[in-house]
Amino acid sequence: MGLFNRKSKASVDNASVTSKTSRTTTNIQSPPPNKTMNGHSSFPPPSTADIPLPPPPNPDLDPAGYLRSIHAVRDRSRLIHDKAKKNQLTHFDVDLTKFEDTATYIVSIIKRDFAPEYHTIPPHGRWQHFDVGGRQRIDQLLASWPSQIDAQERARRLLDLFLVSVLLDAGAGTRWSYKSKESGKTYRRSEGLAVASLEMFKAGYFSGDPTEPYQVNAAGLDRLSLGQLAIGLQVTQANPLAGMEGRASLLANLGEALRNPEYFGSTSRPGNMLDYLLSHPSTQAASVPIIMIPTLWSVLIDGLASIWPASRTQVAGISLGDAWPCSSMPSPPRAKPWENIVPFHKLTQWLCYSLMGPMTRLLNIQFAGVDLLTGLPEYRNGGLLIDTGLITLKPADAKIGLDAYRNNAMVKGQPCMEVVPLFSTDDDVVVEWRALTIGFLDDLLIEVNRLLKLEGADKLSLAQMLEAGSWKGGREIAEVSRPITKQPPIMILSDGTVF
């Protein structure tokens, strides 16, 4: 099988991926999806391993561009991970004798749910959250649309839905729940937010056209007030959702960001990124289109740059988004000013993982460079490392965090049971913890595949381990360790725009 080139160039440089030049309006046509099994396309995926990828920006010439690239997430986190393996961290002690226990625990979760059919594990993504309780809600949604809605428009609609749902998917807190208007069942946390966002989507909350409810566009988000969002999410004083104002702000800012016709078309819909991606010079096609992850990344990191709080870390006046200084990183005068910053871009990565699903399942689109994405640096994956004893918060930091929890517990409506250390998102403890999470998830993937005796093409991908093992395992061990609140071992004060 060749490289599916539609261009004569053997490789694509960085400039072509981020090019702002005009593009043809003729889309690459995707072949119709084959029959599926368990919701997954049976179309044989082409090999993308040998497709050359564009390099990141040179950090010496464009430090902000580099820190906003997907390449920088793993590169910068690795510096803290290297210190962890020597137990030289600022805030955490590392017990590498517990590494095997952590991997064994992940393997036990994977075996319980998937053995021996490991190949059926879906990649980590929002799609599975919609299917909570075994109800295939996205398949039902697709089946409800008239047959004249073609595959590309169906994909656009799902991209609309998934993008908004991911942006709403910050930690819900321990008290919020959502009662489905369709089934009457109650759901919590990420799955609750998924079901809520789906039902809001079907009701036209995000559309500016009452005759076309199944879309998200700038006009719809413009008229979505905080009060309307609260009604849609069933938020009340008795049913509070953490970071409600931050979520509303993200959606309001998204409305403005969608008015970029290059990425989101003349109708200002997230789903129009499909047309941009398929017509991009770096996209290759023969039997199926192959989109480069850096191309998708540029749409999300550049196209959505304005939605993040302006108060975030900046370099040369450019806001970096989910990127933070850390004391465990090199710092001036021995290093350049930008070198103490660790980028995570967690929600952007979560978007990447989630948006690939509809494009692959509906249009057989494949992606080159998926390995650039990292494990998600959030409290389920990171909490697993603490609850299995692999890392432990140092006593002085634990005391600071516990004092902060007690002070926060004095605020009406804040949790006051199962006391754990509490820190803000930008705290040095949290930044170091998140960087550790990325590094150890890479190591755990190798060990998990070894313990499962999976080799070659049978090995689990990082996205599969996240889905079936570490994220799920982190949640389950938290439920056992703190059965009342089910909260992670470190509580994070979040504004709804990171976690």
Side-chain angles (χ1 to χ4, degrees), residues 67-70 72-74 76-78 80 297 301 320-326 329 341-350 372-378 425-439 498-499:
L67 291 171
R68 295 174 72 245
S69 73
I70 182 56
V73 178
R74 183 173 276 110
R76 304 309 295 165
S77 294
R78 186 177 292 120
I80 292 179
W297 185 262
I301 204 74
L320 301 180
D322 183 13
W324 315 86
C326 182
M329 295 290 285
I341 297 171
V342 189
F344 299 115
H345 307 304
K346 180 261 180 178
L347 276 177
T348 305
Q349 292 208 70
W350 184 217
L372 291 173
L373 298 172
T374 72
L376 296 182
E378 48 80 58
T425 301
D426 60 348
D427 193 284
D428 206 57
V429 168
V430 174
V431 179
E432 187 175 82
W433 182 29
R434 297 178 73 195
L436 281 174
T437 300
I438 289 173
V498 176
F499 294 100

Side-chain angles (χ1 to χ4, degrees), residues 161-173:
L161 166 62
F162 280 41
L163 189 140
V164 164
S165 187
V166 166
L167 292 183
L168 288 172
D169 186 34

Side-chain angles (χ1 to χ4, degrees), residues 459-478:
K459 287 183 179 180
L460 297 185
S461 67
L462 180 58
Q464 287 177 303
M465 188 191 75
L466 294 173
E467 178 64 26
S470 62
W471 190 88
K472 183 187 295 183
R475 169 184 278 185
E476 292 188 14
I477 200 171

Side-chain angles (χ1 to χ4, degrees), residues 31-44 139 360-364:
N34 287 12
K35 293 181 180 180
T36 62
M37 180 176 295
N38 296 326
H40 300 283
S41 173
S42 61
F43 195 98
D139 288 344
T360 297
R361 296 197 197 187
L362 272 65
L363 300 173
N364 296 319

Side-chain angles (χ1 to χ4, degrees), residues 337-485:
W338 63 268
E339 292 188 77
N340 74 330
I341 297 171
V342 189
F344 299 115
H345 307 304
K346 180 261 180 178
L347 276 177
T348 305
Q349 292 208 70
W350 184 217
L351 279 170
C352 267
Y353 280 121
S354 296
L355 298 183
M356 285 190 286
M359 289 187 275
T360 297
R361 296 197 197 187
L362 272 65
L363 300 173
N364 296 319
I365 292 171
Q366 302 299 314
F367 292 86
V370 175
D371 289 347
L372 291 173
L373 298 172
T374 72
L376 296 182
E378 48 80 58
Y379 56 83
R380 292 301 179 203
N381 291 316
L384 174 66
L385 307 182
I386 296 175
D387 281 334
T388 57
L390 179 56
I391 63 174
T392 304
L393 193 60
K394 292 187 175 183
D397 292 295
K399 183 180 185 305
I400 292 171
L402 290 171
D403 289 343
Y405 184 98
R406 294 187 182 96
N407 291 334
N408 188 67
M410 301 299 291
V411 178
K412 184 178 180 180
Q414 292 300 306
C416 57
M417 296 180 292
E418 295 183 324
V419 177
V420 296
L422 179 148
F423 299 94
S424 61
T425 301
D426 60 348
D427 193 284
D428 206 57
V429 168
V430 174
V431 179
E432 187 175 82
W433 182 29
R434 297 178 73 195
L436 281 174
T437 300
I438 289 173
F440 275 120
L441 286 172
D442 281 345
D443 291 347
L444 286 166
L445 175 63
I446 297 171
E447 184 63 12
V448 164
N449 276 315
R450 187 188 72 81
L451 293 173
L452 290 172
K453 299 180 180 178
L454 299 177
E455 299 179 348
D458 294 329
K459 287 183 179 180
L460 297 185
S461 67
L462 180 58
Q464 287 177 303
M465 188 191 75
L466 294 173
E467 178 64 26
S470 62
W471 190 88
K472 183 187 295 183
R475 169 184 278 185
E476 292 188 14
I477 200 171
E479 292 174 348
V480 172
S481 303
R482 291 161 295 281
I484 298 174
T485 61

Side-chain angles (χ1 to χ4, degrees), residues 22 24 93 97 110 217 238 274 277 371 459:
S22 61
T24 176
D93 290 316
T97 66
I110 295 172
N217 60 18
L274 174 66
L277 292 168
D371 289 347
K459 287 183 179 180

